[in-house]
Amino acid sequence: MATATVASSYIHPSTIGTPGQPWGIAERTQWRDTREKQRCYTEVVTQIESLREIECSRTSEKLFDVIQYGSLPHHDSNEASFPLFAVKSRNWNNDRPSVFITGGVHGYETSGVQGAILFVNTKAAHYSQHFNILVAPCVSPWGYERIQRWNAKGVDPNRSFNPNGDVVEGRSFNPEAATEESAALIKFLNEEMSHVADWTCHLDLHETTDSDETEFRPAKDARDGNADSEAGEIPDGFYLVQDETSPMDEWFTAMIDSVRKVTHIAPADAEGKLIGEAVSQEGVIAIPNKTSLGLCAGVTNAPYRTTTEVYPDSPNATPEQCNDAQVACIVGALDHIVSVL
């Protein structure tokens, strides 16, 4: 994981605005303008563009197309807009099951981006024999560059895929307003990918980081005008988020068993929970329907759907292990589906 360098203009988001009052436009603008650029999305674009060169080992046929599915305006007038890319199986066959992989919905979660790219580079050629594959490696490039959870308007993209979802007072998982990031991806799925009537699998690659507690929970409290919320415990290890309306227990076991070959699985806390949610099996928590919560993992009708969570700040894991864990999870997921379909 890249670590943010605190620049001279940086101010902690908890100090923005008036305590107890939700942010208005001025406060959101102040927050945006004090988030410094830490790395370049153009480096990710170069990595993505190279994926079009992957060939079949038998025929030397190119296996994947790189598609620009949209662009996002840059809120710095000196910067060009952000192009948005997806990698798609070239020989799409509607008789095959279709798999969707997303990374960088939270732009600061580095292994989501790099894990998606690494999967295409190292494993996708093999799995293209069994599946149609679509990968959107970096859904939120502004957040990627500034190592931020939110987009430039101070909205959480991974709560924005269904702004009309169910809001439950006091719940940490609640939908937020639509974002340009989610709108671009939904438009792509509904238009260019509309020939896919039924998705089989969607893996949305994420991380849980120490900054979730040190920066982003206080930022959310300040933004929403709430009193300081109760601090949570960051799990040390990998875990998965299960949609309780589509449990697929054996599939989750297969993914956890695949990941444990690469890195450690997060143990439950003293209350048998992870991030305040009940554990349904080792390394897995179950939450309400992801579509109702506005989560990216609920954006398709795939029955096999999950959100991955890597812990990059663990003293027992390297950045390479975090990327490898994302790939191992995808491999475990797809191997299981091949075995049961």
Side-chain angles (χ1 to χ4, degrees):
M1 177 189 144
T3 302
T5 301
V6 179
S8 58
S9 64
Y10 175 88
I11 59 174
H12 196 277
S14 63
T15 66
I16 295 174
T18 302
Q21 295 183 16
W23 288 356
I25 294 174
E27 290 80 12
R28 288 175 185 260
T29 300
Q30 182 186 16
W31 172 83
R32 183 196 71 201
D33 291 346
T34 52
R35 303 309 100 186
E36 291 289 334
K37 182 176 177 178
Q38 307 293 328
R39 54 190 178 183
C40 291
Y41 175 62
T42 54
E43 296 169 0
V44 173
V45 172
T46 300
Q47 290 179 293
I48 295 172
E49 291 280 11
S50 72
L51 301 177
R52 66 173 82 247
E53 301 302 319
I54 296 173
E55 297 180 347
C56 174
S57 59
R58 291 180 293 104
T59 66
S60 298
E61 175 189 13
K62 296 288 195 293
L63 294 177
F64 299 102
D65 291 320
V66 174
I67 301 167
Q68 183 176 343
Y69 69 85
S71 64
L72 298 176
H74 202 298
H75 297 277
D76 183 338
S77 60
N78 296 318
E79 300 272 3
S81 60
F82 294 111
L84 299 170
F85 292 99
V87 183
K88 175 178 175 287
S89 295
R90 178 167 289 188
N91 295 320
W92 197 279
N93 181 341
N94 283 334
D95 292 330
R96 291 190 190 123
S98 297
V99 172
F100 188 31
I101 298 166
T102 44
V105 175
H106 287 147
Y108 74 116
E109 294 169 355
T110 306
S111 73
V113 177
Q114 294 302 324
I117 293 170
L118 183 62
F119 168 76
V120 179
N121 251 326
T122 62
K123 303 292 184 181
H126 167 71
Y127 288 103
S128 66
Q129 303 172 71
H130 305 285
F131 299 97
N132 303 311
I133 298 172
L134 180 69
V135 182
C138 191
V139 173
S140 300
W142 185 90
Y144 176 85
E145 288 197 335
R146 283 155 177 77
I147 313 183
Q148 290 296 314
R149 180 182 181 91
W150 295 341
N151 72 357
K153 295 184 178 179
V155 179
D156 188 332
N158 199 37
R159 303 292 184 271
S160 73
F161 284 82
N162 182 14
N164 297 317
D166 302 325
V167 175
V168 176
E169 188 69 29
R171 185 175 66 185
S172 61
F173 294 94
N174 274 317
E176 297 190 13
T179 61
E180 293 165 318
E181 290 81 1
S182 60
L185 194 61
I186 291 169
K187 183 175 186 289
F188 175 57
L189 293 173
N190 289 344
E191 295 182 3
E192 188 153 353
M193 300 305 299
S194 63
H195 58 280
V196 184
D198 294 297
W199 291 91
T200 298
C201 173
H202 180 190
L203 295 113
D204 188 29
L205 311 183
H206 283 259
E207 296 178 345
T208 301
T209 71
D210 287 345
S211 60
D212 288 352
E213 283 297 319
T214 60
E215 179 168 1
F216 298 119
R217 181 184 54 80
K220 186 175 185 297
D221 289 339
R223 183 197 65 179
D224 297 344
N226 295 331
D228 290 343
S229 58
E230 183 178 349
E233 180 179 330
I234 301 297
D236 184 355
F238 181 95
Y239 67 98
L240 292 167
V241 182
Q242 180 183 46
D243 186 328
E244 64 185 14
T245 65
S246 187
M248 301 294 182
D249 291 331
E250 292 182 356
W251 184 57
F252 278 88
T253 300
M255 289 186 285
I256 290 295
D257 285 344
S258 183
V259 171
R260 76 168 80 250
K261 299 172 185 176
V262 174
T263 192
H264 57 295
I265 307 304
D269 63 20
E271 297 180 352
K273 296 180 177 181
L274 292 168
I275 63 164
E277 303 294 330
V279 171
S280 60
Q281 60 172 286
E282 183 190 9
V284 181
I285 60 171
I287 65 171
N289 180 273
K290 293 185 176 187
T291 302
S292 70
L293 299 176
L295 303 186
C296 180
V299 76
T300 73
N301 61 358
Y304 293 94
R305 56 183 180 266
T306 190
T307 304
T308 72
E309 296 289 352
V310 172
Y311 179 46
D313 298 312
S314 172
N316 301 312
T318 65
E320 291 75 18
Q321 281 178 298
C322 293
N323 297 341
D324 289 343
Q326 302 283 17
V327 175
C329 185
I330 300 168
V331 166
L334 300 186
D335 283 348
H336 179 80
I337 293 171
V338 168
S339 74
V340 298
L341 290 184

